[in-house]
C-alpha cells in the first residue's frame, strides 16, 4: 500500500450545500461588477467588501481566484487539496513520525494523548506547537483508509468494506451458474398434533437460484436446521420437472425451470463439505465453487431472493419480523395460523410470482429469459427419487453374513445373500439413508451400480426417524446409567476378597518359614569353643541342732 505524498491533502468529501452555492453566486456578481465596470478598482473593492460584509483582503483573494476562469465553482470553499501547508517541515516530520508510532497501532489509542506527545516533542525541538485540529487534519493526508483499517483494527471486515466489489459471477446461459443458500423463514407455522398439543415454530427455507435469468429453480422447506437432507431435497426439486409436485399441492401454475446446474456456488457450511454432496455433484456433472470467506456479496443473487421471499411472508399473520425491534412485541406465536403444508404452498406461489415479475433494473422477466434459452437445455429425464438418493447422507459398511449394521441396528435383504460368499472380494458397500425414515437403508448394488432398499433384519418396518431413534437410545442410556461409585463397587468387593485370600496364604507361609528356620543348623554354633563344665562343690555337712529331752 503506497503512502500518499505529503504535499497533497485528501480532498474533502462533504457536498456543497445550497447556501454555499448561493453565496458563491452572490460573490461572483459583485466581482463581475469590479472587473467589468470602469470605476476605480480600489473604490469598487471597498464597495464590494461592504456589500458582502468581507474585508478588502478577502475580496482581493477572491478576485485572484475568480479572474482566471470566471466561474462560480472557483469561488466555492476550497478543498484541502488546494491549500498549502503553513507548518515548518520539521513540525510536519514530528507529526508524521509520532502518529505512525503512537496512533497507528492495533490498540485503540485516542488522539488526545498523541497530540500531547507531539507538542512535547515540538517543544523539545524548539519549534512551533501544532493544535489538535491541525494534527487531526494530517491523518487523512498521511494514511490511506486501507492502511488505517489494516493497522488500527484486527477485524478483517473493516478492510473488506473499503475494497471495491465489481461483478463477481457472470452466467452466459441458464443453469450455467446457480447459487444455493438457507434461511429461517420470517413467519411461524402451527401444527396440531393428535394427543400432544399444538406446535408453533419457524421452518428453514433452502433455495436454488439461476444467475443468468434470476429465476428460482427450486426450494425446500424443512423443520430441521440446514443439513445434507435439506440440500438433497432442494437439489432433487430443482433438477427434476415440477408438474407432479405442483399437481399434488393443487397448484395450477407453470413452473418450467428445472435441470442440472453446471456450476453451483455455495458457502462453506458443513452440509456442502460432506462426501455425499461431493459425490452427488460429481455424479451429475455439477462443479462446486465456494464463496470466499467473509464475502457474502459473492452469493448476492440468492441472498437477495431469500430476502424477497421473506418480505412476502412477513406481511401475513404469524410474522416473526426481521428482528426483535421490527417485531415490536407482536404476538407472532399466538397469531400463527398457517399449517406447514399451507406455508409450503404460499412459498411456492411467491416463487412463481417472482419468476413472472419484471426486474426493475434490467427490465427482464425471469420466465421470459428462461423460455428464450430453454430449447438449448438438455433434458436428462432425471427421476426425483434417484436424484434424492444420490445426495442423501451416506457411509460405507462391510458386508457380513448377517447383512450390514448401522445405527446399532442390523439390515438384511435376500439380494445381499448372493453377495455373502464373495464378500471378501468386494470392497465396502456404499450405503445411503434418509434421516426421516431409517426402517430402510439404500445400498448400492456392486453389479448394477444402482441403490436398492434394504430393510431391518428384525422385521420391524414401522417408519422411524433418526432423531427419534437417537432420542430413545439416549433415554435408555439415562435409565441404565449408574453412578461412578456403583460402577466400581463390585470391583472393589472382588479386590477385597482377593486381598483377604492373599493375606491368609502369606501368614501360613511365614509360619512354615519360621519353623524351618528354627530347626535349621546354625553356622555360629559350630564356630564357638565349648564352654568348660562347672566345678563340683564339696558336699556340705548338715549341722544338727541339739534336741532337749523332756
Amino acid at each position: 500500500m503506497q503512502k500518499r505524498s505529503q504535499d497533497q491533502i485528501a480532498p474533502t468529501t462533504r457536498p456543497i450545500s445550497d447556501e454555499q452555492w448561493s453565496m458563491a453566486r452572490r460573490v461572483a456578481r459583485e466581482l463581475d461588477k469590479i472587473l467589468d465596470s470602469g470605476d476605480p478598482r480600489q473604490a469598487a473593492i471597498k464597495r464590494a467588501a461592504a456589500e458582502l460584509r468581507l474585508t478588502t483582503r478577502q475580496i482581493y483573494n477572491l478576485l485572484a481566484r475568480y479572474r482566471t476562469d470566471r466561474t462560480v465553482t472557483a469561488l466555492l470553499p476550497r478543498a484541502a487539496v488546494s491549500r498549502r501547508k503553513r507548518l515548518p517541515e520539521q513540525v510536519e516530520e514530528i507529526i508524521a513520525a509520532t502518529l505512525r508510532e503512537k496512533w497507528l497501532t492495533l490498540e485503540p489509542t485516542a488522539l488526545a494523548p498523541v497530540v500531547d506527545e507531539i507538542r512535547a516533542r515540538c517543544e523539545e525541538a524548539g519549534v512551533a506547537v501544532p493544535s489538535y485540529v491541525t494534527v487531526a487534519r494530517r491523518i487523512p493526508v498521511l494514511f490511506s483508509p486501507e492502511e488505517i483499517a489494516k493497522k488500527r483494527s484486527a477485524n478483517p471486515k473493516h478492510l473488506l468494506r473499503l475494497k471495491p466489489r465489481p461483478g463477481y459471477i457472470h452466467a452466459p446461459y441458464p443453469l450455467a451458474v446457480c447459487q444455493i443458500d438457507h434461511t429461517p423463514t420470517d413467519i411461524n407455522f402451527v401444527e396440531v398434533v393428535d394427543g400432544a398439543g399444538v406446535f408453533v415454530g419457524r421452518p428453514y427455507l433452502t433455495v436454488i437460484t439461476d444467475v443468468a435469468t434470476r429465476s428460482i429453480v427450486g426450494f425446500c422447506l424443512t423443520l430441521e436446521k440446514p443439513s445434507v437432507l435439506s440440500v438433497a431435497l432442494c437439489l432433487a426439486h430443482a433438477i427434476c420437472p415440477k408438474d407432479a409436485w405442483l399437481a399434488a399441492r393443487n397448484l395450477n401454475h407453470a413452473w418450467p425451470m428445472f435441470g442440472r446446474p453446471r456450476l453451483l456456488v455455495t458457502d462453506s457450511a458443513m452440509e456442502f463439505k460432506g462426501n455425499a454432496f461431493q459425490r452427488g455433484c460429481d455424479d451429475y456433472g455439477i462443479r462446486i465453487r465456494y464463496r470466499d470467506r467473509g464475502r457474502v456479496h459473492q452469493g448476492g443473487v440468492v441472498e437477495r431472493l431469500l430476502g424477497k421471499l421473506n418480505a412476502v411472508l412477513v406481511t401475513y399473520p404469524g410474522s416473526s419480523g426481521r428482528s426483535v425491534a421490527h417485531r415490536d412485541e407482536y404476538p407472532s406465536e399466538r397469531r400463527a395460523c398457517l399449517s406447514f403444508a399451507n406455508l409450503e404452498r404460499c412459498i411456492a406461489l411467491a416463487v412463481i410470482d417472482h419468476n413472472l415479475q419484471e426486474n426493475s433494473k434490467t427490465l427482464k422477466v425471469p420466465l421470459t429469459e428462461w423460455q428464450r434459452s430453454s430449447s438449448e437445455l438438455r433434458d436428462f429425464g432425471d427421476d426425483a427419487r434417484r436424484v434424492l438418493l444420490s445426495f442423501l447422507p451416506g457411509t460405507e459398511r462391510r458386508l457380513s453374513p448377517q447383512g450390514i449394521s448401522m445405527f446399532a441396528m442390523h439390515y438384511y435383504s435376500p439380494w445381499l445373500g448372493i453377495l455373502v460368499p464373495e464378500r471378501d472380494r468386494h470392497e465396502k458397500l456404499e450405503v445411503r439413508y434418509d434421516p426421516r425414515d431409517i426402517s430402510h437403508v439404500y445400498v448400492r448394488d456392486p453389479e448394477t451400480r444402482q441403490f436398492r432398499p434394504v430393510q431391518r433384519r428384525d422385521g420391524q418396518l414401522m417408519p422411524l426417524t433418526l432423531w427419534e431413534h437417537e432420542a430413545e437410545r439416549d433415554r435408555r442410556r439415562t435409565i441404565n446409567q449408574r453412578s461412578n461409585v456403583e460402577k466400581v463397587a463390585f470391583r472393589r468387593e472382588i479386590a477385597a476378597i482377593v486381598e483377604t485370600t492373599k493375606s491368609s496364604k502369606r501368614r501360613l507361609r511365614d509360619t512354615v518359614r519360621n519353623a524351618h528356620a528354627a530347626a535349621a543348623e546354625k553356622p555360629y554354633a559350630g564356630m564357638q569353643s565349648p564352654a568348660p563344665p562347672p566345678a563340683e562343690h564339696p558336699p556340705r555337712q548338715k549341722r544338727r541342732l541339739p534336741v532337749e529331752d523332756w
Side-chain angles (χ1 to χ4, degrees):
M1 189 174 299
Q2 295 181 354
K3 179 182 175 181
R4 297 185 185 182
S5 174
Q6 292 189 3
D7 296 333
Q8 295 181 349
I9 298 181
T12 179
T13 58
R14 291 179 296 178
I16 302 300
S17 64
D18 294 339
E19 183 179 356
Q20 291 174 334
W21 184 261
S22 299
M23 183 62 185
R25 288 178 56 192
R26 184 183 173 191
V27 172
R29 287 196 299 267
E30 295 297 330
L31 296 181
D32 286 335
K33 294 178 182 179
I34 297 174
L35 296 174
D36 298 336
S37 65
D39 299 337
R41 179 64 58 87
Q42 187 175 6
I45 289 177
K46 289 183 178 180
R47 179 183 55 79
E51 183 68 24
L52 298 174
R53 296 185 179 180
L54 298 174
T55 64
T56 56
R57 180 186 180 89
Q58 291 174 320
I59 298 297
Y60 276 112
N61 292 336
L62 292 173
L63 192 60
R65 292 161 53 185
Y66 184 71
R67 183 184 292 108
T68 304
D69 297 332
R70 299 192 71 165
T71 59
V72 177
T73 307
L75 299 175
L76 291 173
R78 288 188 298 179
V81 71
S82 60
R83 298 191 180 193
R84 65 180 182 84
K85 296 181 180 180
R86 299 182 179 180
L87 293 180
E89 188 64 27
Q90 188 177 2
V91 178
E92 295 287 353
E93 292 176 358
I94 293 175
I95 293 176
T98 309
L99 285 176
R100 186 172 295 279
E101 177 186 349
K102 300 292 185 180
W103 183 81
L104 200 66
T105 59
L106 198 59
E107 290 72 23
T109 307
L111 184 60
V114 179
V115 173
D116 294 338
E117 178 66 22
I118 292 173
R119 290 173 176 173
R121 293 185 181 184
C122 289
E123 287 185 0
E124 293 173 352
V127 294
V129 176
S131 65
Y132 180 93
V133 177
T134 301
V135 176
R137 288 177 177 175
R138 293 302 187 276
I139 292 177
V141 179
L142 299 170
F143 315 113
S144 64
E146 292 81 3
E147 187 177 6
I148 294 175
K150 185 177 181 180
K151 295 294 184 63
R152 279 185 59 87
S153 176
N155 190 349
K157 292 183 179 180
H158 294 296
L159 184 60
L160 291 175
R161 190 179 68 252
L162 299 173
K163 293 185 177 181
R165 296 181 180 180
Y168 172 68
I169 295 178
H170 303 282
Y173 53 87
L175 295 180
V177 180
C178 292
Q179 297 179 358
I180 183 172
D181 205 355
H182 322 274
T183 185
T185 60
D186 289 345
I187 191 172
N188 288 280
F189 77 96
V190 59
E191 200 76 26
V192 180
V193 184
D194 296 336
V198 178
F199 172 78
V200 180
R202 297 171 61 187
Y204 288 86
L205 178 63
T206 305
V207 168
I208 295 181
T209 61
D210 177 59
V211 175
T213 62
R214 297 300 195 266
S215 61
I216 298 178
V217 186
F219 79 93
C220 170
L221 194 68
T222 59
L223 292 177
E224 298 79 32
K225 291 184 177 181
S227 62
V228 181
L229 177 62
S230 305
V231 176
L233 292 171
C234 190
L235 282 170
H237 189 251
I239 293 176
C240 302
K242 304 172 180 59
D243 298 336
W245 188 87
L246 293 171
R249 287 154 181 79
N250 196 23
L251 296 174
N252 189 19
H253 301 280
W255 192 354
M257 292 81 173
F258 72 92
R260 299 181 183 180
R262 301 295 298 169
L263 175 66
L264 192 61
V265 181
T266 73
D267 56 20
S268 300
M270 292 297 297
E271 58 268 19
F272 300 119
K273 295 283 190 177
N275 187 46
F277 178 72
Q278 298 277 350
R279 285 195 174 185
C281 289
D282 293 340
D283 193 13
Y284 284 89
I286 303 173
R287 293 185 297 113
I288 305 172
R289 177 188 290 179
Y290 296 103
R291 304 181 199 169
D292 295 336
R293 186 178 181 87
R295 303 195 177 187
V296 185
H297 66 281
Q298 295 180 356
V301 176
V302 68
E303 295 282 355
R304 175 183 173 274
L305 294 183
L306 283 172
K308 184 176 181 180
L309 292 179
N310 267 331
V312 175
L313 299 177
V314 81
T315 59
Y316 296 101
S319 165
S320 62
R322 297 186 299 270
S323 63
V324 176
H326 180 259
R327 185 164 57 231
D328 194 23
E329 299 186 3
Y330 171 77
S332 58
E333 295 186 0
R334 288 195 287 108
R335 294 280 295 173
C337 60
L338 289 174
S339 64
F340 186 85
N342 288 335
L343 179 58
E344 187 180 42
R345 294 177 71 243
C346 291
I347 294 176
L349 291 173
V351 168
I352 296 172
D353 180 51
H354 160 75
N355 292 337
L356 296 173
Q357 288 181 10
E358 178 189 67
N359 190 302
S360 60
K361 181 181 295 184
T362 62
L363 302 181
K364 295 180 180 179
V365 179
L367 179 60
T368 305
E369 296 297 318
W370 181 276
Q371 292 174 345
R372 183 178 302 171
S373 305
S374 60
S375 59
E376 303 176 3
L377 299 177
R378 180 181 175 183
D379 186 2
F380 294 92
D382 294 318
D383 180 66
R385 284 187 293 243
R386 183 177 175 183
V387 175
L388 180 62
L389 287 175
S390 299
F391 288 94
L392 281 177
T395 184
E396 293 182 345
R397 285 293 184 270
R398 181 73 67 178
L399 179 64
S400 68
Q402 293 79 28
I404 60 174
S405 177
M406 286 185 66
F407 314 119
M409 295 188 296
H410 299 281
Y411 295 86
Y412 182 80
S413 186
W415 70 270
L416 285 177
I418 304 174
L419 303 176
V420 170
E422 301 179 354
R423 66 182 186 276
D424 294 335
R425 303 178 184 177
H426 293 290
E427 299 292 335
K428 291 184 178 181
L429 298 178
E430 186 178 353
V431 185
R432 299 294 171 90
Y433 62 91
D434 189 346
R436 299 172 299 177
D437 185 6
I438 59 173
S439 62
H440 292 73
V441 295
Y442 308 91
V443 181
R444 190 187 290 274
D445 192 335
E447 301 296 334
T448 63
R449 304 302 299 168
Q450 300 295 326
F451 285 103
R452 302 180 64 177
V454 178
Q455 63 186 22
R456 291 173 59 176
R457 196 179 69 184
D458 56 8
Q460 298 291 335
L461 302 182
M462 289 292 295
L464 176 66
T465 63
L466 179 59
W467 47 87
E468 287 177 340
H469 177 64
E470 292 177 347
E472 176 64 19
R473 288 180 60 81
D474 290 340
R475 186 187 65 83
R476 294 176 62 179
R477 287 194 194 96
T478 304
I479 294 175
N480 300 333
Q481 188 176 10
R482 297 187 301 167
S483 65
N484 294 326
V485 176
E486 292 174 342
K487 289 179 182 179
V488 302
F490 289 96
R491 293 184 181 181
R492 288 178 176 177
E493 189 171 349
I494 294 172
I497 295 174
V498 172
E499 290 296 331
T500 303
T501 304
K502 289 182 179 179
S503 176
S504 175
K505 187 175 181 179
R506 184 183 299 112
R507 192 164 48 251
L508 293 175
R509 183 184 61 185
D510 292 344
T511 303
V512 174
R513 290 172 63 190
N514 292 336
H516 280 275
E521 183 178 359
K522 309 301 186 296
Y524 64 84
M527 297 173 63
Q528 294 180 355
S529 57
E536 295 183 359
H537 296 280
R540 192 165 84 182
Q541 294 183 359
K542 297 182 179 180
R543 184 179 178 181
R544 297 182 178 277
L545 298 174
V547 179
E548 294 180 1
D549 293 333
W550 295 86

